Amino acid sequence: MRYLPHTTEEIASMLEAVGLPSLEALYESIPARARYDRPLDLPAPVDEPSLMRHLEELARKNRAAGMLSFLGAGAYEHHFPPAADQLLLRSEFYTAYTPYQPEVAQGTLQVIFEFQTIISEIFGLPLANASMYDGASAAAEAVLMARRLVGREHTVISGGIHPEYLETIETHVRSLGAGKASLTTVPLAADGAADVDALAAAITPETACVLVGYPNFYGSICDLRKVAEAAHAKGALVITATQDPYALALLESPGALGADIAVGEGQPLGLPPQFGGPGVGLFACREDRKYLQQIPGRIVGETVDKEGNRGYVLTLATREQHIRRERATSNICTNSGLCATAVTIKMCMLGKQGFVAAARQCLAKAEYLKKAIAGLEGYALPYGAPTFNEFVVRVRGGDAKKVCDTLATREIIPGYDLGRVSADRKGELLIAVTERHTRADLDRLVEALAAI
């Protein structure tokens, strides 16, 4: 459907109905200093063929789409079957919103129920929800939920949490009137994994939860069971954050190792990277009435109708902001159902065996690449903890940005320059491998690194 703007007459009629003299009057509540006080600097309008030609010219300037990429750092390029893309084009999926009326939304409700089931199985926790925006906001919601459950305000965070997740958590906590003092970040151990002893030492009687990456931002895998034992011994909950859930096809699940809440980013399970978005947050927790009452988002449940036929309903919808506003459990609002549907379709096509097979490829190819790069003169692997498909490399010459810039001229994106996270890491590169990479791709990166 094309965009059809309102006519001048329609705008005048609506303004009259709300009792305002002009469109500008709608924005009087916005401080003048925050308003744009001049027309947008836009080119003159053109006809549709000219516009399409202009957009195609702009698209051709994007060289990255055709480059060999080893980027990860929270967004991963796994295979997405074209058949799944076609199913997402069905109008009942891409026009659907919140399924408040079960009698006309059984398909949407069933998809969300299946999405929850998949996430529950991956995380090893019995209760999963839907409509988290992304991994970062899911992590923030988990911290706020833990604070409510335990009745404490302090959070201990491992230094391996994705930097953007940490920023999002800080923003949410600050909105509650608490400062950074309520968050304690603990540096990683020398092997790159969470430092269990340091985390345990940082837990105080006011600590609500301990948050660790599993695997963490730098790809390292910690002994999650020991983290859980240390936290539970002091009455704190354990939250895990997983950027690429394919890791959980091979690792023991967070739930099995003692995590109380597990969150993650669903993009790798069913969405192309798409310049960093959109994502879909994953959220699961223990099956406990207290947890159910505090979980954000929405939960679809299975039931029967009056004739005994199986059906699905919106069992829990915590969109309390409509009535409770700032006292609401959560302000998750916009439905992320289309992204959740994409994950559900892709994962159902892949199946459990396919999920494990793809993860095994990721691990095997990453280990092959790690060994090859470690054998290059001047390159090193600074961390010794086990990894899944992502790992840190200390580059020759100590300038990861220079390495990225040089290899870009050879149509290769070698990874993520960790100097963007911290100046102390300017010599480190974060490299991610998925099942899409071939051995020829891996050898090409190694040869390019050796040549510079």
Side-chain angles (χ1 to χ4, degrees):
M1 183 175 71
R2 294 180 183 277
Y3 171 67
L4 301 175
H6 294 295
T7 65
T8 303
E9 292 76 14
E10 289 171 334
I11 293 173
S13 176
M14 287 187 283
L15 287 171
E16 182 180 0
V18 297
L20 293 175
S22 66
L23 285 174
E24 288 69 27
L26 287 169
Y27 312 122
E28 287 182 353
S29 61
I30 302 174
R33 66 180 182 278
R35 291 183 235 160
Y36 200 67
D37 60 359
R38 58 187 182 279
L40 293 174
D41 184 16
L42 297 174
V46 296
D47 58 78
E48 187 172 76
S50 299
L51 177 60
M52 297 302 296
R53 186 163 52 251
H54 175 61
L55 292 175
E56 289 168 358
E57 291 171 354
L58 292 177
R60 282 195 291 270
K61 293 182 179 180
N62 177 24
R63 294 171 45 245
M67 296 170 72
L68 172 60
S69 176
F70 292 89
L71 276 176
Y76 304 88
E77 191 174 4
H78 292 279
H79 177 65
F80 187 72
D85 212 13
Q86 286 299 307
L87 288 171
L88 287 173
L89 293 175
R90 292 185 62 91
S91 61
E92 59 265 41
F93 287 146
Y94 70 72
T95 61
Y97 197 56
T98 304
Y100 286 127
Q101 297 175 272
E103 66 274 14
V104 294
Q106 282 301 292
T108 301
L109 288 164
Q110 181 177 342
V111 167
I112 297 175
F113 182 84
E114 293 181 2
F115 168 79
Q116 294 169 181
T117 302
I118 291 168
I119 303 313
S120 175
E121 291 186 359
I122 289 175
F123 283 138
L125 289 162
L127 186 59
N129 69 2
S131 288
M132 298 287 100
Y133 297 138
D134 51 29
S137 58
E141 289 282 358
V143 169
L144 299 187
M145 178 176 166
R147 287 161 55 109
R148 296 191 299 269
L149 285 168
V150 182
R152 304 175 184 174
E153 296 187 352
H154 181 241
T155 299
V156 175
I157 302 176
S158 171
I161 288 295
H162 194 301
E164 293 170 4
Y165 287 24
L166 181 57
E167 290 178 4
T168 304
I169 292 167
E170 290 174 349
T171 299
H172 278 66
V173 170
R174 188 167 58 246
S175 72
L176 298 177
K180 284 190 177 182
S182 64
L183 303 174
T184 298
T185 302
V186 177
L188 296 174
D191 65 355
D195 189 328
V196 179
D197 292 336
L199 288 172
I203 300 173
T204 74
E206 297 303 316
T207 301
C209 58
V210 177
L211 174 62
V212 296
Y214 185 68
N216 66 23
F217 178 66
Y218 303 102
S220 300
I221 301 165
C222 68
D223 188 337
L224 184 56
R225 193 184 301 278
K226 288 186 177 179
V227 174
E229 290 172 352
H232 292 159
K234 297 185 178 181
L237 303 184
V238 173
I239 303 171
T240 61
T242 302
Q243 295 157 206
D244 189 344
Y246 271 85
L248 303 183
L250 303 182
L251 295 176
E252 196 162 2
S253 70
L257 296 177
D260 301 288
I261 305 172
V263 301
E265 175 56 67
Q267 174 273 320
L269 299 181
L271 298 166
Q274 299 177 133
F275 302 99
V280 53
L282 311 179
F283 195 110
C285 63
R286 296 191 317 193
E287 190 170 20
D288 183 290
R289 185 176 182 84
K290 293 187 299 181
Y291 282 68
L292 180 62
Q293 292 172 335
Q294 295 296 333
I295 197 169
R298 54 177 59 88
I299 295 176
V300 171
E302 186 178 85
T303 185
V304 295
D305 63 16
K306 64 180 181 181
E307 297 176 354
N309 299 313
R310 181 172 60 179
Y312 301 92
V313 295
L314 200 57
T315 301
L316 181 71
T318 56
R319 294 181 64 177
E320 296 170 332
Q321 69 275 21
H322 293 318
I323 54 175
R324 299 189 67 195
R325 299 174 67 81
E326 69 276 0
R327 293 184 296 107
T329 297
S330 166
N331 276 296
I332 288 290
C333 181
T334 303
N335 186 5
S336 301
L338 184 62
C339 296
T341 301
V343 169
T344 306
I345 293 172
K346 156 70 182 294
M347 292 302 290
C348 287
M349 286 183 168
L350 191 60
K352 292 183 178 180
Q353 292 183 353
F355 186 43
V356 173
R360 290 190 185 281
Q361 286 193 44
C362 293
L363 175 62
K365 292 175 180 181
E367 290 300 309
Y368 172 85
L369 185 60
K370 280 172 67 175
K371 184 177 180 180
I373 293 177
L376 296 177
E377 183 180 353
Y379 291 86
L381 305 177
Y383 295 139
T387 61
F388 170 58
N389 69 330
E390 200 162 17
F391 55 93
V392 176
V393 171
R394 187 171 293 127
V395 301
R396 183 166 59 208
D399 191 339
K401 182 180 184 303
K402 183 177 180 181
V403 170
C404 291
D405 292 344
T406 301
L407 265 61
T409 64
R410 305 180 190 183
E411 303 296 314
I412 299 174
I413 303 174
Y416 182 82
D417 168 20
L418 287 174
R420 297 172 62 180
V421 174
S422 168
D424 296 338
R425 293 183 174 273
K426 65 171 294 188
E428 295 177 348
L429 195 63
L430 183 64
I431 298 175
V433 180
T434 72
E435 79 283 1
R436 289 175 59 91
H437 290 103
T438 65
R439 180 164 179 166
D441 293 334
L442 307 179
D443 290 342
R444 181 181 167 194
L445 175 61
V446 174
E447 292 169 4
L449 291 172
I452 60 175

